[in-house]
Each structure stands twice: as structure tokens, then as C-alpha cells.
Amino acid sequence: RAGKRMNAAAAAAAEARAKANAMSVSELRAELVRMGINSDGAVEKNDLVVLYMRGRKAPAATAANGVAPAARPAPARPTTQARAPANPVQLPKEINWGNAIMFAVLAMYVYANFINPDSGGGGGGPDPIEYKGGVRSNAYLDGEVLDVRTHGEFTTLLKQHEEDTGLPVVVDYTSQGCGPCRSIAPYYKALAKEMTGQAVFIKVDVNKNSVTSREMGIRSMPTFQFYADGKLRHQFSGADGSQLDRVSHTLGDEAARKGTYVNEEVTSSALAAYYAKHDPEKAGEASVAEILTKYDGKTAKLAKNLAKKYGGDLPATSPRRITPAPGSEPVAASGEAPSSLEAVSTEALEKELALRRDLAMEELALFMPVAELAGAGAVENVVVVGGGPAGLSAAIYAARAGLKPVVIAPTMGGQLLGKGVDVENYPGVVGVDATGRGIIQLMRAQAASFNVRMVAEAVVGVELAAGRGGAHTLLLNDTARTELRTRTIIMATGASSRWLGVDGEYQFRGAGVSTCATCDGFLYRDQEVVVVGGGDTAMEDALVLARTSSKVTLVHRRDSFRASHTMAERVLNNPKISVMWNTVVEKFEGTDGQGLSSIMVKTEGKTRTIPAVACFVAIGHDPVTDFLKNQVDMDTQGYLQTRPDGTTKTSAEGVFAAGDVADHMYRQAITSAGSGAKAALDAERYLSESG
């Protein structure tokens, strides 16, 4: 019977999940309202699904006779009236030590939560740190991203905004060696500026502040965490700008509804007036001064406790008066300019320099909002899908031909942008720019100089025109699901990392299993790691990891590498790298809470387990062409097929292919750039012939 009940419960849960997943977000929220469930705290659809399943499960669990009980109404909000319990508390007939202790705990709870909420009680256990008040950082007032360098700063900052401002805190775990981290950084800074006064944005460099990244369980980069009221509400890994934007605004809106206190305080006169209205016994000067001292720099906590005790009424607040610390340099009054640089503080100069560096980087990036691009009925001449060497080269050539191209590509870019080792074989690029990131920045700057319009979105669908000369339609992945029409398309989407597809791989992605050594490698310094693969990418990953890890094991399924001779020799001559030849990965093992711990491998028929806290899969790439299936001819591996006449034309009129999306032979940055130039010339010729 127990087994049947379990099977029935599992089936009911599966049915509820399927029903919830079939609904849209708005439909789910409406259904939860009908069920009497508050969904304000839910950020993602998965959160709403869980609430829905819990709501469906609760009545079923109590229906012993098979009849579902009536839905319980939502609990009413507490009022300031005297609370008379429906069932009076029954005192035990015999008083013993156990009963006495229980009664004392109950009395303390009632006192802290109902009699004197100003005391700051309210359950949840002691805080990990005691926030002593005071403004710790005002960077958020200017929409700046604060670099948090110690774990003490991190925990104090969370407390500051839980108890003082009430603002949510967004955390970016990043590293200079991580390509996607550097790519999403300008977007993160722009979002911080946009949401000034609505949320707090901080970054933690895992190289400089390894304690925080370790304590918070960060296993992949970039990782973003979202805190509200001091609690972790959401987390994801990867340079997903749309999710970053969506969750940040959701929590910002939620905080605004609850009430935020950005650089505000309750003055003594305001608190005295408040107590005169609600509790005259506390309106005296000494009592008000004592409470304000206790809540110095804790405006949100004071307002919350007062509202809780006095029926939701809030005290008046005023802009906080910040008294300069003794010995600090004077600040020029509004409208006054220092007479010379000597009169400007070092902090102000550093701030100005940082601002100018940020502006310079943003000017080079030149990504524009998609809303500024799409015009009603407008048809572009050329849209380039992809922002690597092929796409940017095509855009530069098309722009110089007067075609005013548009580049659609996420800021994190492709394979070249994420390379953490030097790029030594790209002609004409040497020195500090001879990295994947450096080359892409130079290409973007050159494209920007020819007024190429770049949009940081992804293409998720396409509807090709029926015949020659018609307009194709591209569907973008922005919140408005923008449709962009164009006469020609240059496909330069490149290829994405290929996975092994073995047991445990999906489970431990972001928790020890990765495809980006330059992004996540530093998280595993002084530990044993594994790299899987035998090409140049695997060699690069192994060399990057050997700089920080105690040991690197390179697993390869053959008895020789297919990488270039130079790269293979560097790996074989590195004392920290060992190679397991003729070996394949069978399974990834570990625990959900702790992440990857070991890898099961098979060497010439013999299976064994090797310890590893991280494994970096580098077995090649798959072309990004899924959204073109059944519309453009491809080979069995998904690469776009170009015509045998040597051009970049595909089987579809007005669609051209450049770079790795059509090249499974060479796959080099320089060959991709060359094919991008060819595609632009082919598109120009097509437009001229089509009229």
C-alpha cells in the first residue's frame, strides 16, 4: 500500500509539474492568486512551478477520504488590535524543568516579536556578523559597481543594505582571465548605472578575494548572485545578459513595493513626532536619542520594526546628513570647481580616471539597444549574425561598401574571445593586443569607426524569403521578441563547445564540469584537475590550468594528439601535466552539495576512478545552426554547405556563410576573417544584381 501511495504521489506531482510548465508566467501567477498563494517572492518560472506544486500537494496530503478539502484562505495581515488567540494556551498540569525552559523560550519569542519588536528580534537565529550601522560605501548612489576585496566587506555590505537601504544586492563573481567575464562587464556596469537607487551592484574578483568565492560555493565564472533582505534569492552562471537584466529589475521592483531608504534617515524630530502619535511614553528626548543611537545607519530595519509594531504606519524620513570624517579633505560645494588639481582629492582623481576608462571601453564596444534599431517596416541591406573574426570582418567590408550593416551578437562573443593564452599566429597583432580578447576589441573598434551598428542580442529564429530579392525576417531573443527584416544575411555564428554526453556531466555543469578553463580554472588552484581532449583547445586549456593547479591530467582517447606540433610539445614538456592515452571518460561522480569529486575512466578496457575536483571538456565544437534547420542545406554535422563555385553562397537566396559555421577543416581566426570578407563581397554583388 505504501508503494502504491508513493507511486500515486509521484504521478500526481508529475502531472502538476507538466500542467504548470504548460502555462505562461502570467497564467501561473493568476492561478496562484486563485489558489490563495502569494507569488511576489518568485523570480523565475521554476519558482512559480514549485509554488504551484506545493499548493496542489497540500490539499492532496490531507484528504484521507479521497475528497479534496476546501482551499484555505490566505492568512490575514496582522493588525495593531489586541491579539486574542482562538485557542487559549493550556498550561501544563505539572511544572518541571523541561516545561519551564519551553515556557521561557515562548515568552522570549512573544516579547521579541509582539511586545517589543524594536529590539530587533524576530527569529532566524543570530546573524553571521553584527552590523554596527554607518554608511559603508556610497558607490551605489552614483550607480557604480563596487569591488569587494575581503569577505568581511562582503558580509558587512549585505547587512548594510538589508538593514539600512532595503535595496537588493547583485553580485558578479569574475576574473581577469575569464573571457565571458570581461565581455559581460560593460553590460553589468551599464545595468548598474541604469538601476541607480534601485539595486546595489558589486563584483568579487575570485583571484583577489578567494575567501568569499569559496564560502559562497562558486564553482564557475561568471556567476551572478541576487540577494534581497540579506537572503540569497537567485543564482546562475554564464554571461546571460537578459537573465541578469530580468532578475535585477524583478528584485528592484519588489524592493520598491516594500519600501527602500536610499541615503535616508529618521531624524530625532521625525521619530519624536511618530512616537507622540503612536506611543507617547517613548516620545521623550532621552528615549528617542537612545533608539536613534541603536538604529544608527539602520533606517530600513527601524522602519520595518516600527511598522510591524504600530500597524504599518511608517515614520517620515529625510536625506541623510553625512558628516565628514576628521582630517578628510573638504569637498567643493555644488557649482564650485577646484582652482587646481592640487585641490582635488586622490579619491576623486581615481574616480574620474575610472569613469574615463569605462567611457572609452563603452565607446569601443558601441553596442546599441535593439529598440533604437528596429523601425516600423524598415528593411536592412545586410545583417551579420555573429561577432567573431568572420562577422566583424564581414561588417567592416560591408560598411566600407556603404551597405550600413547591422551585427547581431551577444557581448560574450565566441571561441576567440574566451582564449586565455596568447594568440601568436594572427598577422600584424603583437604585444598586449595579441590575445583573443585583444583581437576582438581591435576589430570592434575598427567596425565602430565605420559606423557599424552592433546589437548585443542573439538570433533564435529565422523566416527566409521565398525567392530572390525578398526580405528575410530574424527573430531576436530580447524581451520584446523583436523581428528584424533584411535583404541579405551573413551567417557567422561559429561553433559552440561540444559535451561528452556521459552520466553525471549535466548534473555537475557549473559544479566542477566546465568547457572554459580560462573562466573557471583559478577556482581550483592548488588542486588536481582533468582536461579531456587532444586538439589545440585541449592543449591551451591544459597549459592555462598548469599555471595554477597542482596537477593536470590530460585524458585523450587516442595514442597521439591531433593538436599542432608546437602546442603538443609544450604540453608534453610541462612537468605538471600528465597524459592518459587511449582513455575515455565513463562517468562523473560527486555529490549535489559538494560538486565533482572523481571521474570514472576506461583505459583499454580497464575501468578505474581518478580523483578530480574539476574537469574541463575540450573535445571540439558544434556549429550554431539549429535555427536554420530545414531552411538551408547542411552536412551531417550541421555545418552550412556553400556552393561549389568557391563563393560563400548557401542554398538559400541572399544567405551567406562565413567562418567556422561552414568550415570544419581549418577553423582558424585568420581563415574566418578571410571568409567574412568574401561573404561581404558576395552580399554586395547579390544586392547589386537584385536591384
Side-chain angles (χ1 to χ4, degrees), residues 389-395 397-398 490 492 648 657-659 671-681:
L392 292 172
S393 177
Y397 268 74
I490 296 178
T648 60
T671 56
S672 293
S675 66
K678 290 172 58 178
L681 294 172

Side-chain angles (χ1 to χ4, degrees), residues 387-420:
L392 292 172
S393 177
I396 291 169
Y397 268 74
R400 294 187 73 252
L403 299 179
K404 300 180 180 178
V406 176
V407 175
I408 307 294
T411 56
M412 54 272 200
Q415 302 170 52
L416 186 61
L417 196 60
K419 283 188 180 293

Side-chain angles (χ1 to χ4, degrees), residues 270-337:
L271 187 59
Y274 183 88
Y275 275 130
K277 177 181 178 182
H278 295 285
D279 195 346
E281 292 184 1
K282 293 186 177 182
E285 183 177 343
S287 177
V288 168
E290 180 183 355
I291 292 173
L292 287 180
T293 300
K294 179 180 178 180
Y295 285 97
D296 178 33
K298 302 179 183 179
T299 305
K301 185 175 182 179
L302 174 60
K304 180 180 178 181
N305 286 342
L306 290 174
K308 184 177 181 181
K309 184 174 182 179
Y310 299 112
D313 193 15
L314 294 171
T317 59
S318 305
R320 174 173 278 129
R321 295 165 296 178
I322 301 178
T323 304
S328 62
E329 300 186 38
V331 180
S334 178
E336 295 182 7

Side-chain angles (χ1 to χ4, degrees), residues 9-23 28 45-54 56:
E15 180 183 356
R17 182 180 292 277
K19 187 174 181 180
N21 285 329
M23 300 183 198
L28 257 177
K45 184 176 181 180
N46 285 340
D47 302 331
L48 298 173
V49 171
V50 171
L51 290 175
Y52 178 82
M53 293 178 66
R54 288 176 180 170
R56 288 283 299 268

